[in-house]
Amino acid sequence: MKTRMLDILICPGCLPEERPLTLQARERGLEGEVVYGDLLCPGCGACYPILEGIALLVPDGGAAVERSVKAEPRYESAAAVAAYLWSHYLDLLEEAGEPTAYAAWGDMLSGAEGLFLDAGCAVGRLAFAMSGRFDFSVGVDLSYRFVKTARRLMHTRSITFDLPVEGRLCEQRAFHLPAEWNPERVEFLVADAARLPFRSDVFAGLASLNLVDKMPKPLDHLREMDRVARAAQAEWLFSDPFSWSTDVAKESDWLGGTESGRFAGRGLENVCALLRGDGQELRPWRIERPADVWWRIRNHENHFETIRSRTVKAVR
């Protein structure tokens, strides 16, 4: 973990109180990066471990990540990593020049002086791309393997991976990060997007891409993103297919997809109303540019998923 992160980190277990964390480093790597150590909360006494350079900033630390791995094994498998590497970086792979949804999303962000946050960053494409438009870029995800893969790219700028073809057959693929992306201005953490371990009012840019319908408490995620965003001169890119499921969240917590209740109707309309400040759940944003972005993910050579991501950019 880059030590510059200490300036903005707080204990997620103490929210809504914002208590800074103190670092106990046991092993350091290149340029003073912490490889093994602990982040301690002087208030509640919580200890958040740093393992292999990855800060585990969720309550109960490594134990919580272990439970998450067991609950969501599909995001911790080699096949999932390959699928998301293909989806994030298809335009960088040697055999393809096809634009990706992530390139389209990146083009919607203007950039500014300040910090950028990608919540649900997976294997890191948007966080890397924004390193050239913001002063520093942070990606968070609950998947330890996704974050480990993104940090591997952060250190090596390139990766070779096995892409499933059919059954147990795989083919090797490789790519390099573009020169204009600056990994020295990027960091990745394991964290819960509904309990972000950051001080309020620090991020100039934010992204929440295809995440809200995967959250047990979708409204909590939106509140947290709004909390850590700057009060002014901020931009927030939001997208989701609104694939609501009771396997993830109670129907009463959905932000759309029901015929009755506070969030009856379509998810996109309800999220836009929340962003505008209706109901006073969030500080007001201005909706600048709605769009549909088609996102593809590859499971193997003969199985692709195509998802329409309803996208809005909000500014204030």
Side-chain angles (χ1 to χ4, degrees):
M1 184 193 80
K2 294 180 172 71
T3 54
R4 67 170 296 174
M5 293 298 301
L6 289 171
D7 292 339
I8 63 171
L9 291 180
I10 61 169
C11 175
C14 286
L15 287 168
E17 291 188 55
E18 299 187 12
R19 293 192 170 117
L21 299 172
T22 58
L23 172 66
Q24 287 187 348
R26 292 193 298 275
E27 180 182 334
R28 292 183 182 268
L30 297 175
E31 299 182 359
E33 180 180 302
V34 180
V35 180
Y36 289 94
D38 296 297
L39 292 162
L40 306 175
C41 175
C44 70
C47 176
Y48 301 98
I50 301 171
L51 305 175
E52 301 179 291
I54 301 171
L56 308 181
L57 282 156
V58 289
D60 298 327
V65 172
E66 184 177 350
R67 290 195 299 272
S68 178
V69 169
K70 292 178 180 177
E72 297 287 355
R74 67 184 183 277
Y75 293 125
E76 300 292 341
S77 67
V81 171
Y84 276 79
L85 285 171
W86 183 92
S87 181
H88 279 228
Y89 301 102
L90 174 61
D91 52 338
L92 304 184
L93 292 172
E94 294 175 359
E95 80 280 5
E98 183 178 343
T100 70
Y102 291 90
W105 282 318
D107 288 343
M108 296 179 72
L109 289 160
S110 302
E113 292 183 359
L115 307 181
F116 175 79
L117 172 65
D118 183 13
C121 66
V123 291
R125 164 66 182 255
L126 194 65
F128 283 121
M130 291 303 105
S131 65
R133 299 191 198 174
F134 294 84
D135 294 334
F136 196 78
S137 184
V138 181
V140 302
D141 204 286
L142 269 180
S143 167
Y144 184 87
R145 191 156 187 173
F146 280 174
V147 170
K148 185 175 181 178
T149 300
R151 295 194 87 257
R152 176 182 168 192
L153 273 167
M154 186 183 80
H155 286 296
T156 64
R157 298 193 65 97
S158 64
I159 197 167
T160 300
F161 65 102
D162 290 331
L163 188 65
V165 174
E166 178 182 332
R168 298 188 182 277
L169 299 178
C170 294
E171 295 177 350
Q172 280 199 337
R173 293 289 186 270
F175 63 86
H176 302 268
L177 298 186
E180 61 269 24
W181 297 359
N182 186 354
E184 294 180 3
R185 294 162 61 175
V186 180
E187 184 57 280
F188 297 96
L189 312 170
V190 172
D192 184 348
R195 297 181 70 85
L196 292 168
F198 307 116
R199 291 191 291 107
S200 296
D201 302 318
V202 295
F203 289 99
L206 308 95
S208 172
L209 304 180
N210 294 4
L211 179 62
V212 81
D213 64 2
K214 297 179 178 65
M215 301 295 299
K217 296 286 186 180
L219 186 54
D220 286 355
H221 168 56
L222 298 185
R223 289 185 184 123
E224 276 292 274
M225 294 291 279
D226 181 62
R227 178 184 68 81
V228 301
R230 292 197 310 208
Q233 297 182 317
E235 59 180 331
W236 179 356
L237 189 66
F238 171 91
S239 78
D240 210 74
F242 301 107
S243 300
W244 305 114
S245 169
T246 53
D247 291 338
V248 176
K250 295 178 182 178
E251 188 173 317
S252 58
D253 289 321
W254 297 356
L255 299 181
T258 61
E259 295 181 350
S260 61
R262 180 184 175 189
F263 295 110
R266 300 293 184 90
L268 182 63
E269 296 171 1
N270 293 331
V271 168
C272 286
L274 286 164
L275 288 169
R276 287 192 296 265
D278 296 1
Q280 300 183 330
E281 295 285 355
L282 312 179
R283 294 171 292 177
W285 296 77
R286 185 178 75 255
I287 305 300
E288 191 172 79
R289 51 184 299 189
D292 286 342
V293 175
W294 292 90
W295 175 54
R296 286 204 305 154
I297 192 162
R298 180 192 194 275
N299 295 309
H300 60 75
E301 188 176 68
N302 306 314
H303 184 194
F304 297 79
E305 297 177 60
T306 301
I307 297 164
R308 182 169 74 162
S309 295
R310 313 304 304 274
T311 303
V312 295
K313 179 182 173 182
V315 298
R316 67 181 178 204

